[in-house]
């Protein structure tokens, strides 16, 4: 007869296994960059046979330093890594292994300790291989090594690799008549453009934003995935994978100096209580209604929550069975649109908070939803399809299928007549509803295009006499500005060194803010493509950038949990602003 304790253990293990297998299916799909902030490393399926035993490891080399560390201490670091990465099933089983002994208080192990120690070990081994015979200085140019070599080779073999690379560099220098002291052999593989291939826009030291022109909003403990300014006031919302959203009260006008002495008020919107099994419930999407009175949030567990601007919870919408990564209010405010990883979109009645209609046309998770007007909207998905839908219609009005890979974003132009889309197939497309087909197929990026934004200019905007521009940002580290009507490239903005994850036009259309994996925020001039201001001290990947409606502040959400507020008006001269 099975004991109650064993039966509970088995049931809990099975439940955790099912949940992690479901999460695995999400993680293995390629997501938008800000969604990757939520992803945990891939883990094996629990029903697969165990891998064959690894061959015996080589004995320690006699000249390698000895370091006293116990197996229990190593296990403690691995345990901390598994817990940080979300391997709850593995952690649960490890804790119940009789052989497992954690000699360290788990609360005292800092987050990411194992990765930090391993990274330092890699750097030490690489530096050791580059040392000259005197073991005092690095000999000549520093040669980077591949991680696989550091893992599998001893220091003598690594030194030989370094010497071979230096010889190849010398041969290249002799062949092309160049100074061999300045020839470097760069890493091989798909690591983006090397420094030799990179031609950034000129950034002078005076472009760096000073501490007096910014304020760091602290409170989140994990990645800040989304930020949203209230359309009518000075409220700023931020959403994080720490299971909270926050509403910050930011004063109008120049306010950074006063915020240093008097921090802004903040309302914490806790999503932890909505989660299944009381686990983390990341906030994955944010949207204010047109009046700025209500904030809608989407979560990893699939609920949409409605909050008053004072932080009071109004309603929880429960019908989706997958994570919500996109939501939007219509301008009239009577409908809320949500798109989910359960492959469906839902229109909610904001008077009763009931589901008005669920649209189940896609065969893969929805990535983005976008209202065209008060009743019609577009959806895009990992199934490479775009559907134009309308409230009350049982079938899509249009279906566009020309993309060859997952679609990452869609957005209507200010008039609602043109729809732009971008994809992992490296293309940007502009669709015309009047023609019912693709108007322009914009090619030029060399990697996946992560996001697009229309400028707030041209007919139907507050800047009707300015040219309508479409901006696209890519994994190739560039931003491209396109003439939307003629379908040709206006200019390429080179300034980032890694993938660009977020872009935003200023309300007057004169400036473009961008945030990147290279941990830099740039503010560009749309007119000439120059970098006006830059911020590089955030210390983490930037997942989101956004302007306030007054055109004087930029906010950035970072991967280390901070929200940085930049006073753009005071950061540049008045002659540059207007």
């Amino acid at each position: 007869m099975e004991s109650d304790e064993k039966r509970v253990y088995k049931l809990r293990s099975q439940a955790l296994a099912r949940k992690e297998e479901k999460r695995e299916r999400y993680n293995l799909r390629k997501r938008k960059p800000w969604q990757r902030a939520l992803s945990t490393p891939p883990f094996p399926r629990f029903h697969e046979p165990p891998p064959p035993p690894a061959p015996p490891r080589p004995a320690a080399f006699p000249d390698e330093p000895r370091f006293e560390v116990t197996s229990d201490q190593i296990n403690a670091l691995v345990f901390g890594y598994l817990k940080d990465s979300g391997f709850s099933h593995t952690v649960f089983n490890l804790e119940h292994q009789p052989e497992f002994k954690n000699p360290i208080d788990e609360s005292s192990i800092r987050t990411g300790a194992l990765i930090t120690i391993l990274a330092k070990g890699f750097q030490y081994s690489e530096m050791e291989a580059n040392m000259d015979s005197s073991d005092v200085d690095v000999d000549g140019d520093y040669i980077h090594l591949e991680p696989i070599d550091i893992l599998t080779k001893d220091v003598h073999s690594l030194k030989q690799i370094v010497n071979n690379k230096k010889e190849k560099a010398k041969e290249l220098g002799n062949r092309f008549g160049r100074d061999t002291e300045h020839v470097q052999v760069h890493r091989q593989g798909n690591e983006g453009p090397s420094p030799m291939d990179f031609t950034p826009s000129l950034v002078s030291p005076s472009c760096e934003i000073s501490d007096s022109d910014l304020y760091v909003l602290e409170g989140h403990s994990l990645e800040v995935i989304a930020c949203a300014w209230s359309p009518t006031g000075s409220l700023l919302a931020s959403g994080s994978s720490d299971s909270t959203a926050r509403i910050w009260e930011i004063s109008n006008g120049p306010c950074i100096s006063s915020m240093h002495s008097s921090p802004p008020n903040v309302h914490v919107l806790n999503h932890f209580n909505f989660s299944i099994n009381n686990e983390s419930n990341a906030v994955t999407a944010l949207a204010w209604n047109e009046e700025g009175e209500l904030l809608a949030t989407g979560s990893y567990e699939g609920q949409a929550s409605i909050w008053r601007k004072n932080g009071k919870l109004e309603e929880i919408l429960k019908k989706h069975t997958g994570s919500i990564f996109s939501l939007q209010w219509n301008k009239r405010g009577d409908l809320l649109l949500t798109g989910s990883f359960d492959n469906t979109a839902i229109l909610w009645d904001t008077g009763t908070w009931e589901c008005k209609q669920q649209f189940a046309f896609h065969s893969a998770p929805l990535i983005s939803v976008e209202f065209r007007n008060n009743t019609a909207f577009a959806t895009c998905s990992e199934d490479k399809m775009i559907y134009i839908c309308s409230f009350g219609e049982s079938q899509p009005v249009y279906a566009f299928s020309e993309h060859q890979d997952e679609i990452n974003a869609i957005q209507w132009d200010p008039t609602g007549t043109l729809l732009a889309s971008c994809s992992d197939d490296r293309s940007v497309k502009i669709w015309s509803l009047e023609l019912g087909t693709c108007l322009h197929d914009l090619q030029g990026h060399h990697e996946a295009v992560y996001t697009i934004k229309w400028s707030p200019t041209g007919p139907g905007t507050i800047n009707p006499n300015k040219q309508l521009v479409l901006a696209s940002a890519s994994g190739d580290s560039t931003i491209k500005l396109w003439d939307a009507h003629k379908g040709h490239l206006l200019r390429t903005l080179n300034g980032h060194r890694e993938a660009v994850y977020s872009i935003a036009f200023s309300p007057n259309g004169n400036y473009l803010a961008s945030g990147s994996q290279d941990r830099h925020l740039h503010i560009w001039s749309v007119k000439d493509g120059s970098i006006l201001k830059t911020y590089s001290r955030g210390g983490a990947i930037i997942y989101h950038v956004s302007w306030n409606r007054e055109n004087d502040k930029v906010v950035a959400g970072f991967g280390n949990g901070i929200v940085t507020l930049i006073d753009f008006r005071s950061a540049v001269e008045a002659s540059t602003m207007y």
Side-chain angles (χ1 to χ4, degrees), residues 511-533:
Y511 312 105
L512 181 77
S514 61
S516 167
Q517 187 180 351
D518 67 7
R519 307 182 180 191
H520 283 63
L521 179 148
H522 292 323
I523 300 177
W524 312 76
S525 165
V526 174
K527 181 178 180 180
D528 60 18
S530 63
I531 296 177
L532 300 176
K533 287 293 173 181

PDB file of all heavy atoms in Angstrom, residues 511-533:
ATOM      1  N   TYR A 511      12.790  62.848 -33.572  1.00  0.00           N
ATOM      2  CA  TYR A 511      13.805  62.024 -32.929  1.00  0.00           C
ATOM      3  C   TYR A 511      13.354  60.570 -32.849  1.00  0.00           C
ATOM      4  O   TYR A 511      12.164  60.256 -32.870  1.00  0.00           O
ATOM      5  CB  TYR A 511      14.113  62.547 -31.516  1.00  0.00           C
ATOM      6  CG  TYR A 511      14.349  64.032 -31.478  1.00  0.00           C
ATOM      7  CD1 TYR A 511      13.383  64.899 -30.968  1.00  0.00           C
ATOM      8  CD2 TYR A 511      15.517  64.581 -32.001  1.00  0.00           C
ATOM      9  CE1 TYR A 511      13.580  66.256 -30.957  1.00  0.00           C
ATOM     10  CE2 TYR A 511      15.724  65.951 -31.997  1.00  0.00           C
ATOM     11  CZ  TYR A 511      14.754  66.790 -31.478  1.00  0.00           C
ATOM     12  OH  TYR A 511      14.945  68.143 -31.489  1.00  0.00           O
ATOM     13  N   LEU A 512      14.337  59.702 -32.751  1.00  0.00           N
ATOM     14  CA  LEU A 512      14.070  58.271 -32.590  1.00  0.00           C
ATOM     15  C   LEU A 512      14.946  57.744 -31.458  1.00  0.00           C
ATOM     16  O   LEU A 512      16.168  57.942 -31.476  1.00  0.00           O
ATOM     17  CB  LEU A 512      14.384  57.511 -33.882  1.00  0.00           C
ATOM     18  CG  LEU A 512      14.122  56.006 -33.841  1.00  0.00           C
ATOM     19  CD1 LEU A 512      12.628  55.732 -33.965  1.00  0.00           C
ATOM     20  CD2 LEU A 512      14.876  55.272 -34.956  1.00  0.00           C
ATOM     21  N   ALA A 513      14.337  57.102 -30.476  1.00  0.00           N
ATOM     22  CA  ALA A 513      15.093  56.461 -29.393  1.00  0.00           C
ATOM     23  C   ALA A 513      15.215  54.976 -29.694  1.00  0.00           C
ATOM     24  O   ALA A 513      14.313  54.370 -30.280  1.00  0.00           O
ATOM     25  CB  ALA A 513      14.393  56.670 -28.053  1.00  0.00           C
ATOM     26  N   SER A 514      16.343  54.387 -29.312  1.00  0.00           N
ATOM     27  CA  SER A 514      16.560  52.953 -29.551  1.00  0.00           C
ATOM     28  C   SER A 514      17.259  52.326 -28.360  1.00  0.00           C
ATOM     29  O   SER A 514      18.111  52.943 -27.716  1.00  0.00           O
ATOM     30  CB  SER A 514      17.393  52.737 -30.825  1.00  0.00           C
ATOM     31  OG  SER A 514      18.667  53.333 -30.715  1.00  0.00           O
ATOM     32  N   GLY A 515      16.885  51.080 -28.069  1.00  0.00           N
ATOM     33  CA  GLY A 515      17.518  50.313 -26.996  1.00  0.00           C
ATOM     34  C   GLY A 515      18.007  48.988 -27.540  1.00  0.00           C
ATOM     35  O   GLY A 515      17.343  48.376 -28.386  1.00  0.00           O
ATOM     36  N   SER A 516      19.144  48.525 -27.053  1.00  0.00           N
ATOM     37  CA  SER A 516      19.819  47.395 -27.691  1.00  0.00           C
ATOM     38  C   SER A 516      20.359  46.392 -26.694  1.00  0.00           C
ATOM     39  O   SER A 516      20.489  46.657 -25.489  1.00  0.00           O
ATOM     40  CB  SER A 516      20.974  47.933 -28.559  1.00  0.00           C
ATOM     41  OG  SER A 516      21.846  46.911 -28.981  1.00  0.00           O
ATOM     42  N   GLN A 517      20.694  45.237 -27.239  1.00  0.00           N
ATOM     43  CA  GLN A 517      21.377  44.203 -26.467  1.00  0.00           C
ATOM     44  C   GLN A 517      22.772  44.662 -26.057  1.00  0.00           C
ATOM     45  O   GLN A 517      23.361  44.109 -25.124  1.00  0.00           O
ATOM     46  CB  GLN A 517      21.464  42.926 -27.306  1.00  0.00           C
ATOM     47  CG  GLN A 517      21.994  41.718 -26.560  1.00  0.00           C
ATOM     48  CD  GLN A 517      22.048  40.481 -27.432  1.00  0.00           C
ATOM     49  OE1 GLN A 517      21.535  40.490 -28.555  1.00  0.00           O
ATOM     50  NE2 GLN A 517      22.654  39.426 -26.943  1.00  0.00           N
ATOM     51  N   ASP A 518      23.319  45.677 -26.748  1.00  0.00           N
ATOM     52  CA  ASP A 518      24.654  46.181 -26.395  1.00  0.00           C
ATOM     53  C   ASP A 518      24.625  47.104 -25.178  1.00  0.00           C
ATOM     54  O   ASP A 518      25.628  47.704 -24.828  1.00  0.00           O
ATOM     55  CB  ASP A 518      25.307  46.883 -27.583  1.00  0.00           C
ATOM     56  CG  ASP A 518      24.601  48.184 -27.982  1.00  0.00           C
ATOM     57  OD1 ASP A 518      23.679  48.610 -27.262  1.00  0.00           O
ATOM     58  OD2 ASP A 518      24.960  48.760 -29.026  1.00  0.00           O
ATOM     59  N   ARG A 519      23.427  47.247 -24.545  1.00  0.00           N
ATOM     60  CA  ARG A 519      23.257  47.993 -23.298  1.00  0.00           C
ATOM     61  C   ARG A 519      23.331  49.506 -23.501  1.00  0.00           C
ATOM     62  O   ARG A 519      23.520  50.251 -22.541  1.00  0.00           O
ATOM     63  CB  ARG A 519      24.280  47.548 -22.236  1.00  0.00           C
ATOM     64  CG  ARG A 519      24.287  46.053 -22.010  1.00  0.00           C
ATOM     65  CD  ARG A 519      25.262  45.627 -20.939  1.00  0.00           C
ATOM     66  NE  ARG A 519      25.231  44.184 -20.756  1.00  0.00           N
ATOM     67  CZ  ARG A 519      25.807  43.538 -19.760  1.00  0.00           C
ATOM     68  NH1 ARG A 519      26.482  44.216 -18.843  1.00  0.00           N
ATOM     69  NH2 ARG A 519      25.728  42.228 -19.655  1.00  0.00           N
ATOM     70  N   HIS A 520      23.169  49.954 -24.721  1.00  0.00           N
ATOM     71  CA  HIS A 520      23.189  51.376 -25.028  1.00  0.00           C
ATOM     72  C   HIS A 520      21.806  51.862 -25.444  1.00  0.00           C
ATOM     73  O   HIS A 520      21.083  51.163 -26.155  1.00  0.00           O
ATOM     74  CB  HIS A 520      24.165  51.673 -26.172  1.00  0.00           C
ATOM     75  CG  HIS A 520      25.603  51.659 -25.763  1.00  0.00           C
ATOM     76  ND1 HIS A 520      26.223  50.541 -25.280  1.00  0.00           N
ATOM     77  CD2 HIS A 520      26.541  52.656 -25.766  1.00  0.00           C
ATOM     78  CE1 HIS A 520      27.498  50.826 -25.011  1.00  0.00           C
ATOM     79  NE2 HIS A 520      27.704  52.096 -25.283  1.00  0.00           N
ATOM     80  N   LEU A 521      21.471  53.061 -24.995  1.00  0.00           N
ATOM     81  CA  LEU A 521      20.308  53.778 -25.499  1.00  0.00           C
ATOM     82  C   LEU A 521      20.814  54.942 -26.332  1.00  0.00           C
ATOM     83  O   LEU A 521      21.661  55.719 -25.872  1.00  0.00           O
ATOM     84  CB  LEU A 521      19.444  54.280 -24.346  1.00  0.00           C
ATOM     85  CG  LEU A 521      18.188  55.086 -24.712  1.00  0.00           C
ATOM     86  CD1 LEU A 521      17.082  54.847 -23.693  1.00  0.00           C
ATOM     87  CD2 LEU A 521      18.458  56.586 -24.806  1.00  0.00           C
ATOM     88  N   HIS A 522      20.335  55.059 -27.557  1.00  0.00           N
ATOM     89  CA  HIS A 522      20.697  56.179 -28.419  1.00  0.00           C
ATOM     90  C   HIS A 522      19.454  56.989 -28.744  1.00  0.00           C
ATOM     91  O   HIS A 522      18.356  56.432 -28.897  1.00  0.00           O
ATOM     92  CB  HIS A 522      21.308  55.695 -29.742  1.00  0.00           C
ATOM     93  CG  HIS A 522      22.651  55.035 -29.594  1.00  0.00           C
ATOM     94  ND1 HIS A 522      23.598  55.448 -28.688  1.00  0.00           N
ATOM     95  CD2 HIS A 522      23.209  53.985 -30.266  1.00  0.00           C
ATOM     96  CE1 HIS A 522      24.673  54.685 -28.795  1.00  0.00           C
ATOM     97  NE2 HIS A 522      24.462  53.788 -29.737  1.00  0.00           N
ATOM     98  N   ILE A 523      19.628  58.291 -28.861  1.00  0.00           N
ATOM     99  CA  ILE A 523      18.588  59.178 -29.374  1.00  0.00           C
ATOM    100  C   ILE A 523      19.117  59.803 -30.661  1.00  0.00           C
ATOM    101  O   ILE A 523      20.135  60.490 -30.650  1.00  0.00           O
ATOM    102  CB  ILE A 523      18.191  60.250 -28.350  1.00  0.00           C
ATOM    103  CG1 ILE A 523      17.648  59.582 -27.076  1.00  0.00           C
ATOM    104  CG2 ILE A 523      17.156  61.198 -28.937  1.00  0.00           C
ATOM    105  CD1 ILE A 523      17.283  60.558 -25.976  1.00  0.00           C
ATOM    106  N   TRP A 524      18.422  59.520 -31.767  1.00  0.00           N
ATOM    107  CA  TRP A 524      18.883  59.891 -33.107  1.00  0.00           C
ATOM    108  C   TRP A 524      18.095  61.081 -33.645  1.00  0.00           C
ATOM    109  O   TRP A 524      16.928  61.265 -33.320  1.00  0.00           O
ATOM    110  CB  TRP A 524      18.687  58.727 -34.077  1.00  0.00           C
ATOM    111  CG  TRP A 524      19.175  57.390 -33.629  1.00  0.00           C
ATOM    112  CD1 TRP A 524      18.583  56.561 -32.723  1.00  0.00           C
ATOM    113  CD2 TRP A 524      20.352  56.709 -34.070  1.00  0.00           C
ATOM    114  NE1 TRP A 524      19.310  55.397 -32.584  1.00  0.00           N
ATOM    115  CE2 TRP A 524      20.396  55.469 -33.392  1.00  0.00           C
ATOM    116  CE3 TRP A 524      21.359  57.020 -34.988  1.00  0.00           C
ATOM    117  CZ2 TRP A 524      21.421  54.544 -33.606  1.00  0.00           C
ATOM    118  CZ3 TRP A 524      22.378  56.107 -35.196  1.00  0.00           C
ATOM    119  CH2 TRP A 524      22.411  54.884 -34.509  1.00  0.00           C
ATOM    120  N   SER A 525      18.741  61.803 -34.548  1.00  0.00           N
ATOM    121  CA  SER A 525      18.047  62.791 -35.347  1.00  0.00           C
ATOM    122  C   SER A 525      17.481  62.081 -36.567  1.00  0.00           C
ATOM    123  O   SER A 525      18.230  61.453 -37.331  1.00  0.00           O
ATOM    124  CB  SER A 525      19.003  63.906 -35.790  1.00  0.00           C
ATOM    125  OG  SER A 525      18.436  64.669 -36.835  1.00  0.00           O
ATOM    126  N   VAL A 526      16.160  62.156 -36.753  1.00  0.00           N
ATOM    127  CA  VAL A 526      15.551  61.521 -37.920  1.00  0.00           C
ATOM    128  C   VAL A 526      15.986  62.240 -39.196  1.00  0.00           C
ATOM    129  O   VAL A 526      16.131  61.623 -40.253  1.00  0.00           O
ATOM    130  CB  VAL A 526      14.012  61.521 -37.779  1.00  0.00           C
ATOM    131  CG1 VAL A 526      13.343  61.008 -39.045  1.00  0.00           C
ATOM    132  CG2 VAL A 526      13.595  60.684 -36.575  1.00  0.00           C
ATOM    133  N   LYS A 527      16.255  63.530 -39.094  1.00  0.00           N
ATOM    134  CA  LYS A 527      16.587  64.335 -40.269  1.00  0.00           C
ATOM    135  C   LYS A 527      17.899  63.919 -40.915  1.00  0.00           C
ATOM    136  O   LYS A 527      17.982  63.736 -42.138  1.00  0.00           O
ATOM    137  CB  LYS A 527      16.648  65.809 -39.880  1.00  0.00           C
ATOM    138  CG  LYS A 527      16.957  66.747 -41.039  1.00  0.00           C
ATOM    139  CD  LYS A 527      16.961  68.192 -40.574  1.00  0.00           C
ATOM    140  CE  LYS A 527      17.274  69.135 -41.729  1.00  0.00           C
ATOM    141  NZ  LYS A 527      17.275  70.562 -41.282  1.00  0.00           N
ATOM    142  N   ASP A 528      18.962  63.736 -40.099  1.00  0.00           N
ATOM    143  CA  ASP A 528      20.270  63.429 -40.688  1.00  0.00           C
ATOM    144  C   ASP A 528      20.881  62.115 -40.199  1.00  0.00           C
ATOM    145  O   ASP A 528      21.969  61.732 -40.620  1.00  0.00           O
ATOM    146  CB  ASP A 528      21.254  64.576 -40.447  1.00  0.00           C
ATOM    147  CG  ASP A 528      21.484  64.861 -38.966  1.00  0.00           C
ATOM    148  OD1 ASP A 528      21.169  64.001 -38.119  1.00  0.00           O
ATOM    149  OD2 ASP A 528      21.965  65.965 -38.639  1.00  0.00           O
ATOM    150  N   GLY A 529      20.204  61.396 -39.275  1.00  0.00           N
ATOM    151  CA  GLY A 529      20.704  60.104 -38.818  1.00  0.00           C
ATOM    152  C   GLY A 529      21.817  60.173 -37.801  1.00  0.00           C
ATOM    153  O   GLY A 529      22.433  59.146 -37.496  1.00  0.00           O
ATOM    154  N   SER A 530      22.094  61.347 -37.255  1.00  0.00           N
ATOM    155  CA  SER A 530      23.173  61.477 -36.269  1.00  0.00           C
ATOM    156  C   SER A 530      22.672  61.110 -34.877  1.00  0.00           C
ATOM    157  O   SER A 530      21.473  61.165 -34.591  1.00  0.00           O
ATOM    158  CB  SER A 530      23.715  62.910 -36.255  1.00  0.00           C
ATOM    159  OG  SER A 530      22.690  63.809 -35.861  1.00  0.00           O
ATOM    160  N   ILE A 531      23.598  60.703 -34.024  1.00  0.00           N
ATOM    161  CA  ILE A 531      23.266  60.410 -32.634  1.00  0.00           C
ATOM    162  C   ILE A 531      23.387  61.697 -31.831  1.00  0.00           C
ATOM    163  O   ILE A 531      24.461  62.285 -31.729  1.00  0.00           O
ATOM    164  CB  ILE A 531      24.190  59.324 -32.059  1.00  0.00           C
ATOM    165  CG1 ILE A 531      23.978  57.998 -32.788  1.00  0.00           C
ATOM    166  CG2 ILE A 531      23.943  59.145 -30.568  1.00  0.00           C
ATOM    167  CD1 ILE A 531      24.900  56.886 -32.328  1.00  0.00           C
ATOM    168  N   LEU A 532      22.263  62.128 -31.254  1.00  0.00           N
ATOM    169  CA  LEU A 532      22.259  63.361 -30.474  1.00  0.00           C
ATOM    170  C   LEU A 532      22.652  63.108 -29.022  1.00  0.00           C
ATOM    171  O   LEU A 532      23.403  63.876 -28.429  1.00  0.00           O
ATOM    172  CB  LEU A 532      20.872  64.005 -30.518  1.00  0.00           C
ATOM    173  CG  LEU A 532      20.352  64.387 -31.912  1.00  0.00           C
ATOM    174  CD1 LEU A 532      18.932  64.926 -31.796  1.00  0.00           C
ATOM    175  CD2 LEU A 532      21.269  65.408 -32.568  1.00  0.00           C
ATOM    176  N   LYS A 533      22.124  62.023 -28.459  1.00  0.00           N
ATOM    177  CA  LYS A 533      22.410  61.679 -27.073  1.00  0.00           C
ATOM    178  C   LYS A 533      22.507  60.166 -26.933  1.00  0.00           C
ATOM    179  O   LYS A 533      21.876  59.411 -27.681  1.00  0.00           O
ATOM    180  CB  LYS A 533      21.333  62.222 -26.133  1.00  0.00           C
ATOM    181  CG  LYS A 533      21.383  63.730 -25.930  1.00  0.00           C
ATOM    182  CD  LYS A 533      22.651  64.131 -25.187  1.00  0.00           C
ATOM    183  CE  LYS A 533      22.820  65.633 -25.115  1.00  0.00           C
ATOM    184  NZ  LYS A 533      24.079  66.018 -24.412  1.00  0.00           N
TER     185      LYS A 533
END
